[in-house]
Amino acid sequence: MSRLIVVSNRTPGKGPAAGGLAIALRKTLAEREGFWFGWSGRLVDQPDREARFEDIDGLSVAQIDLTRDDHHDYYAGFSNSILWPSFHLRLDLATIEAHWYEGYRRVNVQFARALLPLLKPDDVIWVHDYHLMPLASELRNLGARNRIGFYLHIPFPTSDALYAIPHHNDLMRDLSRYDLVGMQAKRDVAAFTEFADHQSPSSLSGNPLKSVDFSRTEVDSFPIGSDPDAFARLSVSPAATKMVKRMERVLREQKLILGVDRLDYSKGLPQRVEAYEKLLANNSRFRRQVHMLQVAPPSRDTIKEYQETSDALDAMCGRVMGRFAEPDWQPLTYVKRAYGQPSLAGLYRLAKVALVTPLRDGMNLVAHEYVGSQNPADPGVLVLSRFAGAAEIFDGAIEVNPFDTDETAEALRIALDMPLDERIDRWTRLMHAAREHNVDAWAARFLERLAPATTAGSGTRDILYLASVA
Ligand code: F6P
């Protein structure tokens, strides 16, 4: 079997919590030969050209350092102030500084130059996420002939939002140099197809751009999942049980409503708290009977829009506390820090309702983890945004429009009042879907399409590229 080279911005176990991606891929890579390649988490004045290998929990990880300026332009700048808001249809929150694109490309060139000497001809390369869209182009420009796949963990934007991104045609041409492009959901593939079918020039100046030729690139949806059975085990582990006991002492008879999200404007956190406020306002019988816990570890907090989201959430939580709290009852707890998986699994198991209500989300693995952690004899209810990729597979959830806080408040009421037999029926369907789409199935499906066992290795693809790039 050919080696697998996973490439992502963050590598596992380094820097701030690597999140769902690292967790998902650690397992796949542990099962076959290869290594993980990415940024070390270190900023230096003069990065080495060569990557350093390190063994991290049995995984071989090759890493490069970046300069502070390049990292800023590539990560906080182009990736997270332009691509992230645009791909999440929040152009109002995008900041466009043209020079960031140069830093973004520079870092992709640096990745390609450091990775190329490490490659064998039949290695299969799997590139992850929006930070690294140009990587296949840069590798192919240096002569790489390998099969290269790309997986987008965030939603693909509508054509209008895409056109607002500087150099969007270059980026789409970069995507056309992958053998396989994977997206989370069918709606993302539909948006991509819409763009591919109706491309228009990207610039007012210069030569009219030729449309991008996607005829050599396969594009399909591969919904990512978690490991629901591992969460089922974790949710009854001693560490999880400790958390459950701690919470039960405080909650007593109150039902727990839980949200777990990075502190990101795409997660719809102020809207979620407003929906909870409406639940309490419209249904006084729930006061003292419920408690909302929002876990929201800070994220990308050097970026102004993230600081503003944090401030907006502080204000919303303060408002609900001021309106409903009593000396001996608090309606909500808001925790701005990250918890480990065992503690989270305990919280998931205890929660009667999970509020997973992003305004737009690639998949949302919290939904999967919540489902996996439930007690089959007394499961909780998943309230899920119809704008999360997870909505395409989880028909057992109560689906809501997260912009409509009245609707979310009503969904909360229905969830809290739901009889046991309906909860079991819905959860059984959810767990079936979570298992069917678990992380192993996801990786296996993608890799089988990228490099079927019989055809792995270099092919004629590079000749076609030269023709299409000229
Ligand atoms: O959702 C996209 C994603 O890149 C995830 O894979 C990851 O968990 C999350 O964003 C964290 O982002 P960052 O690396 O910017 O902290």
Side-chain angles (χ1 to χ4, degrees), residues 38 83 105 197 235 254 260 269 314 331 333 344 351 354 442:
L83 294 178
R105 287 223 81 99
D197 288 350
S235 69
Q254 296 168 79
V260 178
L269 298 178
D314 291 352
T333 305
L344 285 180
W442 165 75

Side-chain angles (χ1 to χ4, degrees), residues 165-202:
I165 298 170
H167 307 282
H168 58 267
N169 252 57
D170 289 345
L171 295 172
M172 292 304 105
R173 184 161 290 111
D174 289 328
L175 284 189
S176 78
R177 303 190 76 189
Y178 287 93
D179 296 288
L180 176 63
V181 171
M183 312 250 174
Q184 294 275 19
K186 293 196 187 88
R187 56 131 199 231
D188 302 316
V189 176
F192 177 86
T193 309
E194 168 73 17
F195 167 80
D197 288 350
H198 304 100
Q199 300 168 55
S200 62
S202 68

Side-chain angles (χ1 to χ4, degrees), residues 9-10 18-21 75 80 84 129-131 153-154 262 299-300:
N9 172 51
R10 287 192 198 276
L21 172 61
Y75 175 79
N80 285 314
W84 180 275
D129 238 354
Y130 56 104
H131 318 85
H153 288 256
I154 65 175
R262 272 185 316 106
S299 173
R300 305 174 192 164

Side-chain angles (χ1 to χ4, degrees), residues 172 210 249 254-255 298 352 394:
M172 292 304 105
K210 285 193 217 108
R249 270 200 298 276
Q254 296 168 79
K255 290 182 174 176
K352 296 295 173 204
F394 280 155

